[in-house]
Amino acid sequence: MRNVVSGMKLKVRVVHYCRQGIECWYADIDEADDRQPDDPYWYVDGCRTQSEALTAACAQLAGYDQSMAAGVLPIRLSGATSQAA
């Protein structure tokens, strides 16, 4: 019997916005086919540059890659919150 490898298609979304007159960047990671980004697997907010937001997202994706190789799938933020309670 062969090992079965679970995979996911994830996407990174990066958004530029202003908060109290200061330019900021936000990034999140969600499923590629999820059209409603209201419950991502991960996010970072308040980055000073687009590069900073992308670097943080890439580091998180690398962590997911290692976890998924070990058979552990990411948990949505709402699921992680309810599991911590």
Side-chain angles (χ1 to χ4, degrees):
M1 187 171 164
R2 294 192 293 172
N3 291 336
V4 177
V5 177
S6 296
M8 297 179 74
K9 290 184 180 180
L10 298 176
K11 68 178 177 185
V12 172
R13 182 174 64 121
V14 178
V15 178
H16 181 237
Y17 67 97
C18 286
R19 179 192 304 161
Q20 298 175 344
I22 300 171
E23 293 190 16
C24 298
W25 292 86
Y26 166 95
D28 67 16
I29 297 174
D30 206 345
E31 289 181 60
D33 297 331
D34 189 353
R35 296 188 177 260
Q36 291 194 293
D38 57 343
D39 189 17
Y41 292 104
W42 172 90
Y43 80 95
V44 64
D45 193 9
C47 296
R48 289 188 247 173
T49 65
Q50 182 183 37
S51 179
E52 182 181 338
L54 286 170
T55 298
C58 288
Q60 185 63 35
L61 283 173
Y64 283 159
D65 185 52
Q66 291 176 357
S67 296
M68 284 191 238
V72 178
L73 296 177
I75 300 171
R76 292 193 176 275
L77 291 176
S78 63
T81 305
S82 64
Q83 286 184 357

